[in-house]
Amino acid sequence: MQISDLPYPDPGAPDARSGPRFLVWLGLGQLGGQAKSLCWGLVHFGGVAGLPYAVGMGVEAVVQRDGTRLLLVGALLALIGVAISVGDAMLHRTAVTNWITAAARVQQLLARKTAELGSALTRRVAAGEVVAVSTGDVEKIGWFVEAVSRFLAAAFSVVAICVGLLFYAPSIGVVVAIGVPVLALSVLPLLPRATRRADIQREKAGKATELASDTVAGLRVLRGIGGEELFLGRYREASQEVRKAAVRSARMWALISAIQVLLPGALLITVVWYGSGLVLDGRLAVGELVAAFSAVATMLYPLRHFEEIAMAYSFSRPSAARAARVLSLRRTDAPEPEAAQARIPGTPAPGGDLYDPATGLLAPTGRFTAVVCGDPDLAGRLAERLGGHPADDGPASERVSVLLGGVALDELALDTARTLVLVQDKDPVLLSGTLRELFAVPASGAVEPGAALAAAQCTDVLDALLQSAPDGVDDPMDARITERGRSLSGGQRQRLALARSLATDPEVLVLDEPTSAVDSHTEARIADGISALRAGRTTVVLASSPLLLDRADRVVLIHEGAVAATGTHRELLHGEPLYRAVVTRETDEEQRVAPIELTRLEEDRLEKALTEIEESA
């Protein structure tokens, strides 16, 4: 796999059972790249391993005044130099390729999982953790994947040096062969503590990132209520905690690095001291002592890779665990992964009514159904369930799948389910780009963007975008929208998102409070627009506004998790006290005053609501 070939046509199905298993799966998926890196690493480190012996033979040739042998040694040193240089360059190239391709594969998997889960992702995983996984964690995971081949090549060179010394200078090679494993294993007792400190640092950094993300997302509200300094103070405290944890972690890694310098230095001194005695006794040649000294000094370089692989694994293991935790999430716990993979993406739409077994809600096909929930949280969970995302926690009754035409949505392929049912939640997101790009979404083609914008009453939004556009832009569809639509008001963003949802023209459209940020007159016109544009298509709106409810073909009241009443808005307003209490904000005291007939206050409220409806119409 080359960098130019990214992204992967199919990143595969990851083994997300644990962090280590995920790392193994990534490594096995890049065996070709790992093999190339290992081969070039063997060339590079092979040259490094051969260098001490060539130097020793050169010294022996000088001592023996053998010119021919000295020339041969010179040629050998030149060949070793070429091997070290070329091997190092190609090792770096292949290692970086492995790093980038591993990180890109993880990012691609995360992007697909994000698209699969949609808004349900941040309800299952903290936003800060999602940010940490998709940014810093992918780099750490890629670091470990590419470090494996370099570590194996370095380990080969260490073994080659030790074995070579045993044959070249057995008397001193034994000392090196015993000392090197001690050097390699000396830091193992410190690694668990260093790993724990690194985990604490990353945990605190994740919390700080989450706090920063939440603060930035709510910055406008914080400024409005004067809470900006309070949250900035909290972030300062969190960042200081991260700094302290990073310092404690760095101290441990500094100690490990110091040991990696101190012990090889001690071994080098031992080799020189012991070897000098052997030379004086005539049991060791000068060239052999130089070779042994050079071998120990050269060995410091490949031994560094032992420390690096330990650090890479220490940092990547929790990162891989976080990535695996996100990648292990599924739309629902009901189907097995094998069954999900066996689904045919082109499964035809079953059609029919939309039915939620958890609440008993029935949305007849081709009708405009409004749903009134006294509990906003229940409304949000219901909207997710109607979109094919049953709750993975909470009551068991809410974990069942919604049926469309008698077929469970979570048993359909994801692409098919999303073609059939589209859910717009309370806080839709607008990405930066032109308005034309905003509407470049999968759609049936039956609804033009202009008709959707008109139905969502976006005339003033188009004028505002055109006024803020640079000179030369005459078409509002070419005007740019800033990041998350921050240059627009809340009502303008809401109406643009509604227009985008209407333009997709799904078989079933579920809207959660689509007009909560607009005035009553605009809301009434939007209700008429939705009703006209969605004629013959199934539309479900979760709202409590009388203006929307009056336009619906049928209204369903859900109380305490179950359908409590069904009818038109006016029928329920006159005959259902519980419905009237939710829609008109009637208090418990007012309900007790007149349990059977409407009180004077209720009559006034009812008449006012009906008047608003008639005036807006």
Side-chain angles (χ1 to χ4, degrees):
M1 187 62 158
Q2 299 296 324
I3 296 177
S4 59
D5 298 329
L6 295 174
Y8 284 91
D10 180 11
D15 186 348
R17 289 176 290 177
S18 66
R21 288 177 181 270
F22 181 59
L23 290 174
V24 171
W25 177 83
L26 275 178
L28 293 177
Q30 294 182 207
L31 286 180
Q34 295 284 4
K36 290 180 182 178
S37 185
L38 178 59
C39 289
W40 286 114
L42 291 176
V43 172
H44 172 66
F45 285 106
V48 172
L51 189 61
Y53 307 109
V55 172
M57 288 187 293
V59 172
E60 284 294 320
V62 172
V63 172
Q64 297 174 6
R65 299 182 181 277
D66 187 343
T68 303
R69 186 180 179 187
L70 186 60
L71 288 176
L72 292 175
V73 170
L76 179 61
L77 284 173
L79 181 61
I80 290 176
V82 172
I84 292 176
S85 301
V86 175
D88 187 32
M90 296 306 298
L91 173 61
H92 179 74
R93 178 186 177 91
T94 54
V96 170
T97 300
N98 288 336
W99 187 336
I100 293 177
T101 50
R105 184 193 288 265
V106 177
Q107 284 183 324
Q108 194 172 348
L109 289 169
L110 291 171
R112 291 196 175 194
K113 182 59 64 175
T114 302
E116 175 187 342
L117 297 177
S119 61
L121 175 62
T122 52
R123 294 183 176 93
R124 301 186 187 185
V125 182
E129 183 169 349
V130 176
V131 173
V133 170
S134 58
T135 54
D137 283 341
V138 295
E139 294 186 4
K140 296 182 179 68
I141 293 171
W143 176 26
F144 174 76
V145 171
E146 69 88 12
V148 170
S149 55
R150 288 190 292 111
F151 163 72
L152 293 176
F156 168 80
S157 69
V158 170
V159 173
I161 290 174
C162 293
V163 173
L165 274 180
L166 285 175
F167 285 95
Y168 184 74
S171 55
I172 200 170
V174 174
V175 177
V176 176
I178 295 175
V180 168
V182 174
L183 296 181
L185 302 177
S186 60
V187 298
L188 287 183
L190 298 177
L191 288 179
R193 183 176 298 181
T195 301
R196 286 195 298 269
R197 291 190 179 186
D199 290 345
I200 293 174
Q201 175 198 348
R202 283 186 289 272
E203 180 182 355
K204 291 183 178 295
K207 292 180 179 179
T209 303
E210 182 177 353
L211 180 60
S213 176
D214 293 341
T215 303
V216 171
L219 190 58
R220 182 176 297 180
V221 177
L222 291 176
R223 286 175 175 171
I225 63 176
E228 184 179 3
E229 287 300 324
L230 174 62
F231 275 80
L232 287 177
R234 291 181 179 177
Y235 181 72
R236 291 190 190 100
E237 294 177 2
S239 62
Q240 288 301 313
E241 291 293 328
V242 175
R243 181 188 63 80
K244 293 176 182 178
V247 170
R248 294 185 72 248
S249 177
R251 286 173 180 169
M252 184 57 63
W253 288 111
L255 176 60
I256 293 175
S257 298
I259 292 174
Q260 290 287 302
V261 174
L262 178 63
L263 292 184
L267 177 61
L268 192 62
I269 294 173
T270 302
V271 168
V272 172
W273 173 77
Y274 180 65
S276 299
L278 294 177
V279 171
L280 292 176
D281 293 340
R283 297 163 54 190
L284 186 69
V286 175
E288 293 175 342
L289 176 60
V290 173
F293 174 82
S294 301
V296 175
T298 304
M299 208 179 298
L300 297 178
Y301 170 54
L303 281 176
R304 282 289 181 183
H305 290 77
F306 286 70
E307 177 189 353
E308 183 190 8
I309 194 66
M311 291 183 65
Y313 181 72
S314 171
F315 280 87
S316 66
R317 181 182 54 80
S319 297
R322 281 195 292 267
R325 184 161 56 248
V326 174
L327 295 175
S328 64
L329 298 176
R330 299 196 302 273
R331 291 167 57 199
T332 174
D333 292 334
E336 294 296 328
E338 294 79 4
Q341 294 174 6
R343 295 173 189 153
I344 302 174
T347 303
D353 300 336
L354 184 68
Y355 176 68
D356 177 30
T359 59
L361 170 66
L362 176 67
T365 180
R367 304 287 297 279
F368 183 177
T369 302
V371 180
V372 177
C373 296
D375 182 2
D377 293 335
L378 175 61
R381 295 196 301 271
L382 176 59
E384 283 189 31
R385 204 160 54 248
L386 293 177
H389 295 284
D392 53 357
D393 54 7
S397 60
E398 295 188 8
R399 302 181 189 179
V400 296
S401 176
V402 169
L403 305 179
L404 182 60
V407 178
L409 281 180
D410 56 19
E411 292 181 0
L412 297 174
L414 181 61
D415 293 343
T416 303
R418 287 188 171 167
T419 302
L420 297 173
V421 181
L422 174 67
V423 178
Q424 177 180 303
D425 59 16
K426 294 180 181 178
D427 302 307
V429 176
L430 301 181
L431 301 179
S432 60
T434 64
L435 191 59
R436 194 181 308 279
E437 293 171 342
L438 179 69
F439 281 87
V441 293
S444 67
V447 178
E448 294 295 329
L453 288 166
Q457 301 298 309
C458 293
T459 304
D460 63 316
V461 184
L462 300 180
D463 293 339
L465 288 174
L466 201 55
Q467 289 178 3
S468 61
D471 296 338
V473 178
D474 300 325
D475 189 347
M477 296 298 291
D478 295 325
R480 293 195 64 82
I481 301 173
T482 58
E483 180 186 2
R484 300 181 67 90
R486 298 188 187 280
S487 60
L488 304 173
S489 67
Q492 290 174 328
R493 290 196 299 269
Q494 192 176 60
R495 282 178 282 160
L496 277 181
L498 174 61
R500 178 179 58 186
S501 299
L502 292 173
T504 61
D505 189 38
E507 181 175 323
V508 179
L509 177 61
V510 180
L511 304 172
D512 188 3
E513 295 288 354
T515 58
S516 59
V518 300
D519 60 81
S520 58
H521 294 287
T522 304
E523 185 178 30
R525 291 194 293 270
I526 291 175
D528 289 334
I530 295 175
S531 179
L533 196 64
R534 294 286 300 171
R537 307 289 269 172
T538 306
T539 306
V540 180
V541 177
L542 288 86
S544 59
S545 168
L547 298 173
L548 272 175
L549 299 175
D550 190 61
R551 267 63 171 186
D553 298 325
R554 63 197 302 270
V555 179
V556 179
L557 172 65
I558 296 181
H559 179 63
E560 295 183 352
V563 173
T566 303
T568 66
H569 170 59
R570 296 175 186 249
E571 291 172 351
L572 295 177
L573 199 61
H574 283 282
E576 183 57 51
L578 184 59
Y579 176 83
R580 188 167 59 249
V582 174
V583 174
T584 65
R585 306 297 191 270
E586 186 179 70
T587 64
D588 294 339
E589 180 64 26
E590 292 167 350
Q591 291 185 57
R592 285 194 294 268
V593 171
I596 299 178
E597 296 184 358
L598 294 177
T599 64
R600 175 61 60 183
L601 179 60
E602 291 169 348
E603 291 177 352
D604 293 341
R605 284 180 175 173
L606 176 58
E607 186 170 346
K608 180 180 179 182
L610 295 177
T611 302
E612 286 184 357
I613 294 173
E614 292 172 355
E615 289 179 352
S616 61

